[in-house]
Amino acid sequence: QALFGEFAAELADPAQQRLREEELKALERERGVELRFLHPAGGFVLLTSQAGSRRCYLNVCSDPGVAAPQARAQPGGHGFSLPYALPRGREELGRRGQRRLIYDIVFHPAALRLAARSARFRRLLSDTAMDAVERHCAVRLDRGNAAVLRGTRYRGAPQAIAIHTPLPHSASSASPEPPAAASEP
């Protein structure tokens, strides 16, 4: 019991987490891959359902490691490029023991600042988050009943996101991996 407690404390220690991340980065660099970690900061949470029956939460988060949003002039107004990172969804137990699906969609902090000042931009960010989850996770979300949870910045236990990018001129860059992918460490 005591040994397990020590192990759990070591896993939760931020200094140990940084050390593990640096070790993983070095190992990946040897394989010809750049590894970056994103640490999502809470923004706001969308509550919706998946397939009409299963409750799920979309954490709309931020990290400066994601590219900033960019406005583009188009006929009739402006369009926005909203880069994001989206790891796999996860299932966690709620307080009452019920299972809940959680998706983290990570944008640049500037996108969340714009959303805090503009209801239209917040809707754009919410729609982009739901589009991303539907497209990349092959699920159907109930958009008609999606709602922002007031006073909630993040649902579940925050998890670091690993971004893998092949390094130029490395022996392994000829492998058929995608150029950048988000995954959990």
Side-chain angles (χ1 to χ4, degrees):
Q1 289 271 12
L3 186 59
F4 181 73
E6 288 176 30
F7 176 67
E10 186 176 309
L11 285 178
D13 180 24
Q16 288 295 321
Q17 183 181 12
R18 281 190 297 277
L19 180 63
R20 279 193 311 275
E21 287 177 3
E22 290 305 318
E23 290 171 350
L24 286 170
K25 286 178 184 179
L27 287 170
E28 289 294 303
R29 205 172 305 112
E30 289 174 10
R31 292 184 39 219
V33 176
E34 177 193 9
L35 178 61
R36 293 183 303 123
F37 285 95
L38 302 179
H39 297 277
F44 63 93
V45 178
L46 290 170
L47 168 63
T48 185
S49 65
Q50 184 175 304
S53 61
R54 195 154 184 214
R55 179 177 285 196
C56 69
Y57 299 90
L58 280 65
N59 290 318
V60 180
C61 321
S62 67
D63 186 280
V66 176
Q70 298 201 326
R72 294 180 303 220
Q74 356 177 266
H78 282 85
F80 277 92
S81 168
L82 288 171
Y84 59 84
L86 174 67
R88 291 185 305 264
R90 64 187 185 277
E91 201 171 82
E92 291 186 7
L93 289 178
R95 287 187 208 131
R96 296 185 204 105
Q98 77 278 19
R99 294 184 184 277
R100 58 187 183 192
L101 291 169
I102 299 176
Y103 298 96
D104 291 342
I105 305 90
V106 187
F107 296 94
H108 189 274
L112 269 77
R113 283 193 299 272
L114 287 168
R117 290 193 304 251
S118 165
R120 287 181 64 193
F121 197 85
R122 184 180 205 132
R123 185 74 204 153
L124 174 66
L125 211 58
S126 298
D127 287 343
T128 301
M130 287 190 282
D131 288 343
V133 169
E134 286 182 333
R135 187 176 323 113
H136 296 290
C137 301
V139 297
R140 194 86 189 133
L141 300 176
D142 181 4
R143 290 170 176 266
N145 291 318
V148 174
L149 292 179
R150 297 196 188 287
T152 305
R153 296 176 46 84
Y154 194 91
R155 186 68 101 182
Q159 296 182 357
I161 300 168
I163 305 291
H164 303 264
T165 308
L167 291 170
H169 309 295
S170 67
S172 65
S173 67
S175 68
E177 291 184 42
S183 65
E184 296 173 44

